[in-house]
Amino acid sequence: MTLRWLAGLLARRRGRLVAAAAGVAVAVALIASIGAFLAGSTASMTDRALARVPLDWQVQAAPGASLSKLLGQVRAFPGVRTAVPVLYARTTGYHASASGGTSTASGGLVLGVPGNYRATFPKELRQFIGARSGVLIAQQMAANLGIGVGDRISIGRAGLPDATARVNGIIDFTAPQQLLLPPSAATATSQTPIPDNVLIVPTARWHALFDGLARTHPALIRRQVHANLAHGALPRDPSTAYSRALGLAKNLETRTSGTAIVANNLATALDAARGDSLYARVAFLFLGLPGALLAVLLTAAIAGAGAERRRRDQALLRARGATLPELVRLALAESLLVGIVGGLVGLAAAMAIGSISFGSTSFGATTRASAFWAGGSLLAGILIAVLAIALPAWRDARRLTVARARTVARRQGGPWWGKFGLDFLAIAGAVLIYRATSGGGSQLVLVVEGSTQASVNYWSFLAPMLAWIGVALLSYRLAELALRRGRKGIATASRAVAGQLGGTVASSMYQQRSALARALALVALTTCFAATTAAFNATYKQQAEADARLSNGADVVLSATSVSGLPAHLRSTVAHIPGVSAAEPLQHRYAYIGRDLQDLYGVNARTVVHNARLQDSWFSGGTASQLLGRLARTPNGVLLSQEVVHDYQLRPGDQIIMRLLDQRTRASIPVHFKYIGITNEFPTAPKDAYTVVNASYVARATHDPGVATLLVQTGGANPTDVGRRVRAAAGALASVSDINTNRALIASSLTSVELQGLTRVELGFALVLIAAATGLLLYLGLADRRRTFAIAHALGARSRQLGGFVWAETAFVTAGGVILGGIAAAGLTWMLVKLLTGVFDPPPARAAVPWQYLIELGVIALLAVVVAGISTLRALDRPPLETLRDL
């Protein structure tokens, strides 16, 4: 009997089955695609974190321990790919003679490295000018002393005569905090200052300089083994890889019996990546989960659109002797057919989507996770079908008699939850929870450094979830209220398409108000989901571009390779290169505020806002134009980072004394500034402590007009092509970077959480869902009432009059749903952007509005509605007796 029933459904109800299976396929594909996103994004985050680590381990030998023995132990440790010894010595100071004067620098470090060090760790040192080996001086120290390649430098040694060396090259460090600080201080939260005055010499030269110091002052000597591990053996999940990296380092410390301490740079990088992976999970919950739930609701609505017809079929079967277990078995068979077919189609679609969008055909970071996610998605599809088809059939079979099953009960009052105001309570709860979780220093994602545990503040999800529930219930309430209380208005509006039958149309819609209100609420939710996701995606792209500009500085950036800065003729040449729309000079100096060394940026306050494309959100207490205008009117003004203002308890107008290097005397001199505002972000600047001042004022005070950086904007031209031309013009005078090349290397949570793939999939599904919510759902709902239309047709109703019923209902559901959904999307977008502040770094001043996508969304919804209406009208053109016989 079951097989005959299924064969009959395929023959007579094929459209209904295909529609329900398509709904299940969409839901399963969306759920499984989210699994592919999580798998691809977490693996990508791990790869990025590993690629950014120039040096995995610094294994420091304890005082008195044998460095050669430790080197052998590290090299023999499983997973270590390469290891070399590195020696450190603290100096009492440096002296240099250049340009007819003598300059001094405070104590620093001298590193002794083997000849293969730069080949072994190619990302650790960045070359500025001169030779790549020999005596290499840090760029900041060269600037402090005012020396260059070929100059001689005196090295102070405690208890020993000064030693001299000739500078062979100038370098910089990609990770100075890791390389130069001892393991106990090389953490992101360490307050230990990073040495500025650093020399690197060959190992043999180091021994000649400091073996005597090691005997008399061993506390001034550090001995380390620098090692890199084989990354291929690490798990693809950042959290698991972090735990593994911590375990390996502790295992090595145990094997050395306490004679070594490991500075685990690898674990530090993975520590940041696991925070990003939590943001990926958060993004899934904020963006993916509502889409998946919406797909489930739409699938249930599509499957439930034939509920009345199923009740009539059920009544016919019961009249012919079918028992309750038999009716349930037939409904379950239909559910399994729809769920399995739709689920398999959805999984196939998800694999294709994952391959195209995320570069992954798996649904998890591991084989087990992939199988679990795929199986769970398929099970979810079957469960959706069972809940939408079998459960209502079982409930009707138990409660309804044959006669009642052939009639449709109409509820006279509003929905039961309306009496308690659940929609208003949900919206009010969303507002209260949002206010509680978005302020007061609350963090959405918390990753405690050094701990293998990371956490998400899941309370934050209650706000958007309650908002979604409130939007759905309120949309239903308003639609049902309009159909119940606004029959006269609907009748008047319906006369435009139904003529004299406007009142009849209004009465019909009143009778169908529950179904129409459900359809309108689903259209509102779908519109809200699509518009919210699109706005979030547009805002993400906008802020990702801003983040890239902050890190790189501009479309193309020139950085001087000489301590004297960029030559004036080079700046003029670059300004006239084809494709260059603006070339903004930028001073980059270093200044002491108290004992803290700060990056100092000298700007032309009248031009930098436009030429550097500064954003208002990068400043506090005013817009970019307002604060830079204030700086232009205050020659000795200074914009400080929030950290400096907090640390020194400053107020606007306070006088600040900074110590800068005087070009003539090569000594630090006090320069007076006036605090006028706060800068949160600035191109090329670090994220913590820096200052922005007038370049002209600094040039006069330090007798140094040199410019270290040139920010080049291309005005729409390809930055890579312009960068190539600029690089050819600069030659050895400057290093050149372009935003396209560096965009993929930017290490921030904003770019690490690869939301573009997820939002692209979400936006694609949103288009499908909006078409289903407007077109398919309306068509199925209208088609389910073909019997009513056929009777009206038999009684003499003309096609135009029948079309009035169709177009009136279609216009009410579509227009009402889109309007309510659009209003809800504005509020939800604002809420999501504020809650996901950890993803947006820097935070946006306002959400971006994706007008093009919204127009496309409206066009697709309109087309779906028109197609559904025309298809319904064509079905009604059949002879009424033939339609009634089929029903």
Side-chain angles (χ1 to χ4, degrees), residues 24-25 27-33 335-348 350 363 370-386:
V24 170
V28 171
L30 182 52
I31 296 171
S33 295
S335 302
L336 291 176
L337 176 64
V338 169
I340 293 174
V341 173
L344 293 177
V345 172
L347 285 179
F363 304 120
S370 181
F372 174 81
W373 199 279
S377 300
L378 182 59
L379 184 61
I382 296 174
L383 183 61
I384 293 168
V386 170

Side-chain angles (χ1 to χ4, degrees), residues 286-607:
F286 270 109
L287 300 176
L289 187 58
L293 293 177
L294 182 57
V296 170
L297 291 176
L298 275 174
T299 302
I302 291 171
E308 292 185 16
R309 185 179 298 175
R310 288 192 186 91
R311 278 195 290 269
R312 289 195 294 270
D313 292 342
Q314 187 180 82
L316 182 60
L317 289 171
R318 294 182 67 180
R320 294 182 178 181
T323 63
L324 175 62
E326 289 175 334
L327 292 175
V328 173
R329 186 170 63 251
L330 295 179
L332 280 174
E334 181 181 352
S335 302
L336 291 176
L337 176 64
V338 169
I340 293 174
V341 173
L344 293 177
V345 172
L347 285 179
M351 291 182 66
I353 292 170
S355 177
I356 296 172
S357 299
F358 311 125
S360 172
T361 56
S362 64
F363 304 120
T366 63
T367 303
R368 177 180 295 181
S370 181
F372 174 81
W373 199 279
S377 300
L378 182 59
L379 184 61
I382 296 174
L383 183 61
I384 293 168
V386 170
L387 292 177
I389 299 174
L391 183 62
W394 170 77
R395 185 179 62 243
D396 291 343
R398 288 190 60 190
R399 294 190 308 171
L400 302 180
T401 63
V402 174
R404 289 185 61 194
R406 297 182 63 86
T407 63
V408 181
R410 307 295 183 189
R411 186 177 64 245
Q412 297 302 315
W416 65 267
W417 47 262
K419 300 177 182 178
F420 303 99
L422 292 185
D423 46 353
F424 299 116
L425 290 176
I427 293 175
V431 173
L432 292 176
I433 293 174
Y434 164 75
R435 291 175 64 88
T437 57
S438 63
S442 176
Q443 290 182 278
L444 184 61
V445 172
L446 180 63
V447 182
V448 180
E449 186 175 0
S451 171
T452 58
Q453 301 298 318
S455 62
V456 176
N457 181 10
Y458 288 102
W459 280 102
S460 301
F461 295 101
L462 276 180
M465 189 57 63
L466 286 175
W468 275 94
I469 295 173
V471 168
L473 297 181
L474 182 60
S475 299
Y476 185 99
R477 176 196 286 272
L478 293 176
E480 203 269 348
L481 185 65
L483 292 170
R484 187 155 42 91
R485 300 282 183 87
R487 292 172 63 179
K488 290 184 178 179
I490 294 175
T492 301
S494 299
R495 290 193 179 97
V497 291
Q500 297 178 350
L501 293 181
T504 306
V505 169
S507 297
S508 174
M509 294 175 65
Y510 170 78
Q511 295 297 323
Q512 299 291 330
R513 63 184 182 278
S514 294
L516 292 176
R518 282 196 302 269
L520 186 145
L522 282 173
V523 172
L525 278 181
T526 307
T527 303
C528 181
F529 166 71
T532 301
T533 305
F536 187 92
N537 181 52
T539 306
Y540 175 84
K541 289 181 178 179
Q542 169 187 284
Q543 294 311 113
E545 181 66 18
D547 190 48
R549 288 191 171 280
L550 276 173
S551 300
N552 193 63
D555 292 332
V556 178
V557 175
L558 283 82
S559 301
T561 55
S562 171
V563 294
S564 60
L566 295 171
H569 75 272
L570 178 60
R571 286 183 279 169
S572 176
T573 300
V574 169
H576 292 87
I577 290 177
V580 173
S581 62
E584 182 70 16
L586 186 70
Q587 285 181 342
H588 183 201
R589 311 283 176 83
Y590 294 90
Y592 280 95
I593 302 179
R595 298 182 59 184
D596 295 334
L597 184 68
Q598 309 281 340
D599 290 85
L600 182 143
Y601 294 90
V603 302
N604 183 339
R606 300 186 185 280
T607 61

Side-chain angles (χ1 to χ4, degrees), residues 15-16 19-20 301-303 305-306 309 775-785 868 872:
R16 187 177 79 190
I302 291 171
R309 185 179 298 175
L776 183 59
L777 191 58
L778 283 169
Y779 172 75
L780 292 175
L782 293 170
D784 202 45
R785 290 188 282 116
T872 303

Side-chain angles (χ1 to χ4, degrees), residues 601-625:
Y601 294 90
V603 302
N604 183 339
R606 300 186 185 280
T607 61
V608 70
V609 175
H610 177 266
N611 291 345
R613 297 171 67 175
L614 303 183
Q615 295 189 11
D616 293 342
S617 61
W618 298 353
F619 300 88
S620 295
T623 65
S625 297

Side-chain angles (χ1 to χ4, degrees), residues 699-718:
R700 288 194 303 270
T702 62
H703 307 99
D704 181 9
V707 172
T709 306
L710 201 62
L711 306 180
V712 177
Q713 307 297 348
T714 62
N718 190 326

